[in-house]
Amino acid sequence: MTQLEEAKRGVITEEMKFIAEREGISPEKLRRSVAKGHTVIFRNVRHDWVRPVAVGNVVRVKVNANIGTSRDIVDVRAEIEKAKVAVKYGADTIMDLSTGGDLDSIRKAIMHAVDVPIGTVPIYQAAEEMLAKGKAIIEMSEDDMWRAVERHFRDGVDYTTIHVGVTKEVVEKMKRTKRIVGMVSRGGTFLAAWILHWGEENPFYRDYNYLLELAREYDVVLSLGDGLRPGGLPDAGDELQMAELYTLGRLVKKAREAGVQTMVEGPGHVPIDQIPAQVKLAKVATDNAPFYVLGPIVTDIFPGYDHITAAIGGAIAALNGADFLCYVTPAEHLGLPTVEHVREGVIAARIAAHAVNLTRFEADFRKDYLMSVARGRLDWAKQFELSGDREMFVEIRKERPTKTEACSMCGDLCAIKLIQEMLRKG
């Protein structure tokens, strides 16, 4: 039985106990949220070495890191290193988005290199296998798509992005809708092109019941993909995005009835003032399904700094109900990320998540409280201990400052403390 089915029966699973202890909440509170579909647990029944992770409204905001090969650069060791670095710096999950090389071997290697849940996008593999045969992506058969999904589930992947909401109806709307950027979702684009070429309905939408059967067998969390997310600020909240969202809301309900865990993916590029409304609308449309957002990126004119633009949007999204932040690296829109880009992306997303988590969990706020105390006491050892990135702490502070050395963040702390002591003595 799936975690959702067990929760509905009133059963607290071992995974729920493990997660509840890590989150500092009662197992019963977690069970109730899972039973409603408001929280999901990543743990494929075949992924027996994974450390289960929960995403939803009663647990901490989580962070995902994307890695993966491309057709031009197939360096499995580099991607494994990125996965390890992402986990080291706090990523809760990894998504393998590889599109080049032996995808089955790459996926398995990444899964065995880390102990966090793994997500994938199976349609990428179906498309790549067409290209490897010298064929066009739109020549994929429905069997090709389903085989890719089954293979990923069977290999132990914990959650998969399936662009179920890219329907024939929505693709027809695209012909009448003027978007500035168009479709930026790779998987969504593959399916839209396939629909246009064959004139057939999206197989994942038409045969959604079969998808649910497969997901239930392995207890894979279906991440209902936002194939029509805005790829630029002018497209945020348009007809296409909203049409897909309402479709996903109906599919969430159907999945819950079948005992399958689901979450919903969100935008994209969104002006900062629209983020609260978009998140709340998504929560209403999907009956509080866990919401997984890419960013949102709040400005389009700072390529090379999108880890920052995404962290700003991610913090606002999480504050308004988003549950899961997909990191964005400085290489977004420019190229494949390096290991250092991965580190920067994870840290930026973690800052966004923690900024919200400390408002919800006393233990998280306690860390910031203790850091304030340590700064007030000039206790550098304690500041190092509490630092979210100790390597950066050491890199910047290579030598203990003198009493007159200024701190760029807080001013001349040592001088301030001296003045405070003078004031206390009168």
Side-chain angles (χ1 to χ4, degrees):
M1 300 186 78
T2 66
Q3 296 288 331
L4 175 56
E5 289 174 315
E6 294 281 33
K8 286 181 177 180
R9 291 175 59 234
V11 176
I12 295 174
T13 64
E14 290 302 315
E15 289 82 4
M16 293 177 200
K17 293 176 184 177
F18 174 83
I19 290 166
E21 183 176 356
R22 289 177 59 86
E23 297 284 345
I25 62 175
S26 73
E28 176 59 20
K29 182 177 182 179
L30 177 60
R31 184 202 66 77
R32 289 197 301 267
S33 186
V34 173
K36 293 176 182 177
H38 297 170
T39 297
V40 295
I41 293 176
F42 298 143
R43 207 282 191 184
N44 185 314
V45 296
R46 295 177 67 94
H47 196 176
D48 54 13
W49 64 92
V50 73
R51 176 162 41 89
V53 168
V55 167
N57 66 349
V58 297
V59 296
R60 288 175 175 81
V61 178
K62 300 302 191 302
V63 170
N64 171 70
N66 293 338
I67 62 168
T69 61
S70 69
R71 299 201 83 214
D72 297 324
I73 304 176
V74 181
D75 187 340
V76 182
R77 289 184 179 179
E79 298 311 312
I80 288 175
E81 183 182 3
K82 290 177 187 177
K84 290 181 176 179
V85 165
V87 173
K88 174 183 177 181
Y89 287 97
D92 299 288
T93 71
I94 298 291
M95 284 201 83
D96 171 24
L97 305 184
S98 294
T99 57
D102 184 342
L103 300 184
D104 290 329
S105 296
I106 293 169
R107 181 171 59 256
K108 292 173 184 176
I110 291 171
M111 289 183 70
H112 282 88
V114 294
D115 64 354
V116 300
I118 301 294
T120 60
V121 187
I123 194 72
Y124 288 4
Q125 181 156 7
E128 174 57 29
E129 289 175 351
M130 285 295 102
L131 296 175
K133 296 175 183 177
K135 297 181 179 181
I137 291 174
I138 54 175
E139 293 184 69
M140 286 185 294
S141 69
E142 294 182 23
D143 286 342
D144 292 326
M145 299 184 205
W146 287 113
R147 274 195 296 269
V149 171
E150 292 183 52
R151 205 180 312 170
H152 286 226
F153 287 10
R154 190 171 57 247
D155 284 348
V157 167
D158 302 286
Y159 65 100
T160 57
T161 295
I162 309 287
H163 299 90
V164 193
V166 181
T167 64
K168 188 176 179 182
E169 180 183 358
V170 172
V171 170
E172 286 299 318
K173 285 183 179 180
M174 286 180 61
K175 298 177 182 179
R176 307 188 300 271
T177 304
K178 293 182 179 179
R179 267 198 168 187
I180 301 298
V181 183
M183 279 188 86
V184 296
S185 163
R186 180 183 292 166
T189 300
F190 292 164
L191 283 166
W194 188 91
I195 291 168
L196 287 170
H197 178 74
W198 295 103
E200 298 288 338
E201 182 57 273
N202 178 347
F204 298 129
Y205 178 75
R206 187 190 61 219
D207 299 320
Y208 188 58
N209 286 336
Y210 179 55
L211 178 61
L212 295 179
E213 288 179 22
L214 291 175
R216 182 179 179 277
E217 180 180 355
Y218 298 96
D219 200 3
V220 173
V221 174
L222 292 181
S223 185
L224 304 185
D226 52 344
L228 292 156
R229 67 177 179 269
L233 297 185
D235 297 330
D238 71 358
E239 177 187 5
L240 298 178
Q241 181 190 348
M242 293 300 109
E244 181 183 38
L245 176 61
Y246 291 127
T247 297
L248 298 184
R250 294 195 303 273
L251 297 177
V252 165
K253 181 179 179 181
K254 196 170 184 179
R256 288 174 179 170
E257 291 170 351
V260 174
Q261 300 188 92
T262 53
M263 63 182 180
V264 172
E265 298 184 11
H269 294 237
V270 181
I272 197 168
D273 62 327
Q274 294 183 27
I275 293 174
Q278 286 222 14
V279 173
K280 291 172 183 176
L281 179 61
K283 282 289 186 174
V284 170
T286 65
D287 186 23
N288 288 309
F291 198 37
Y292 178 26
V293 294
L294 179 68
I297 290 174
V298 296
T299 174
D300 291 336
I301 66 168
F302 283 93
Y305 296 91
D306 279 320
H307 57 311
I308 298 173
T309 65
I312 294 169
I316 296 170
L319 188 62
N320 286 277
D323 308 283
F324 197 20
L325 306 182
C326 185
Y327 89 158
V328 175
T329 75
E332 184 80 6
H333 302 110
L334 298 175
L336 287 177
T338 64
V339 171
E340 182 57 27
H341 290 152
V342 168
R343 173 187 171 183
E344 293 175 1
V346 170
I347 291 293
R350 273 191 60 211
I351 291 170
H354 178 70
V356 176
N357 287 333
L358 69 84
T359 70
R360 301 178 183 176
F361 291 87
E362 184 177 349
D364 292 52
F365 180 79
R366 179 70 177 169
K367 295 177 184 177
D368 286 74
Y369 175 81
L370 293 175
M371 178 64 91
S372 296
V373 172
R375 284 178 175 158
R377 295 174 177 172
L378 296 180
D379 185 343
W380 294 100
K382 190 65 174 179
Q383 290 179 53
F384 169 78
E385 178 187 328
L386 293 167
S387 176
D389 183 353
R390 294 177 179 178
E391 292 180 11
M392 180 63 75
F393 185 101
V394 171
E395 183 179 332
I396 293 176
R397 180 181 164 76
K398 293 177 180 176
E399 296 180 2
R400 187 177 180 83
T402 65
K403 287 190 176 181
T404 57
E405 182 178 341
C407 167
S408 61
M409 175 62 74
C410 303
D412 193 339
L413 289 176
C414 295
I416 290 173
K417 189 167 185 179
L418 178 61
I419 293 170
Q420 290 173 337
E421 290 176 354
M422 292 172 64
L423 290 171
R424 280 195 295 269
K425 292 178 180 178

